[in-house]
């Protein structure tokens, strides 16, 4: 089981970490902590995985549930991306702009309803809509409509700050 877990960890860590980043508004340290919690749960329950879905889908479910549990426990729901130090001579203007856009996008994602947040973070992770439907328990058609509406909301939010 040790080698199996090592392979699972190597194959899925980056995806889990990026998904956690979306839930904690880009806080890298917090995302790493939550990702670690996810893989502790994967390790503890790997023998209970029934292979009714792919291992990736199972891990995404654990990740989403772990992130939601963290947010509920902390009741904050909004986390800050660390600010770029203005006095750092090595920071280039493009990085500041990228960080600001990223910060704005995470802030907009945080304003979404819980289900919408789950769906868009999985979309951003590149999961097929059918797999997102399986993870969330919604129909594939419902996910297609939700994704369209969420993208409209995020576009409006990012462009107009609403």
């Amino acid at each position: 089981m040790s080698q199996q877990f090592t392979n699972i960890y190597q194959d899925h860590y980056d995806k889990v970490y990026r998904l956690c980043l979306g839930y904690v508004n880009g806080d890298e340290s917090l995302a790493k902590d939550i990702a670690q919690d996810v893989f502790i749960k994967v390790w503890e329950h790997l023998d209970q995985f029934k292979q009714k879905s792919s291992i990736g889908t199972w891990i995404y479910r654990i990740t989403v549930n772990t992130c939601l549990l963290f947010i509920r426990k902390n009741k904050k729901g909004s986390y800050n991306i660390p600010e770029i130090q203005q006095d750092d001579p090595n920071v280039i203007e493009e990085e500041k702009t990228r960080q600001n856009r990223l910060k704005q996008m995470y802030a907009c994602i945080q304003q979404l309803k819980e289900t919408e947040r789950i769906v868009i973070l999985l979309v951003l992770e590149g999961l097929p809509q059918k797999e997102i439907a399986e993870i969330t328990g919604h129909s594939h058609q419902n996910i297609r409509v939700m994704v369209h509406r969420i993208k409209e909301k995020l576009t409006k939010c990012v462009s107009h700050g609403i």
Side-chain angles (χ1 to χ4, degrees), residues 42-103:
V42 169
W43 170 261
E44 290 173 341
H45 301 286
L46 190 56
D47 60 335
Q48 297 170 11
F49 174 59
K50 294 178 177 51
Q51 298 183 1
K52 290 182 180 178
S53 61
S54 73
I55 189 82
T57 299
W58 182 68
I59 291 171
Y60 276 115
R61 284 184 185 147
I62 292 171
T63 304
V64 167
N65 289 335
T66 303
C67 289
L68 291 175
L69 182 63
F70 171 82
I71 289 169
R72 286 182 189 128
K73 278 184 180 178
N74 290 286
K75 300 282 186 193
K76 291 180 185 176
S78 73
Y79 304 93
N80 297 318
I81 296 174
E83 290 292 325
I84 298 171
Q85 295 298 318
Q86 300 287 23
D87 57 332
D88 185 351
N90 298 323
V91 176
I92 55 173
E93 194 62 37
E94 288 177 19
E95 181 61 19
K96 288 181 187 177
T97 303
R98 188 186 74 76
Q99 283 281 341
N100 286 335
R101 275 188 266 150
L102 194 60
K103 188 180 217 178

Side-chain angles (χ1 to χ4, degrees), residues 108-136:
C108 290
I109 289 172
Q110 291 298 316
Q111 294 175 19
L112 295 172
K113 294 176 188 169
E114 189 174 283
T115 303
E116 293 173 331
R117 195 173 343 146
I118 292 168
V119 169
I120 199 63
L121 290 171
L122 293 172
V123 166
L124 291 171
E125 192 53 46
L127 262 66
Q129 289 181 356
K130 285 184 181 182
E131 191 169 346
I132 294 170
E134 187 178 330
I135 291 169
T136 61

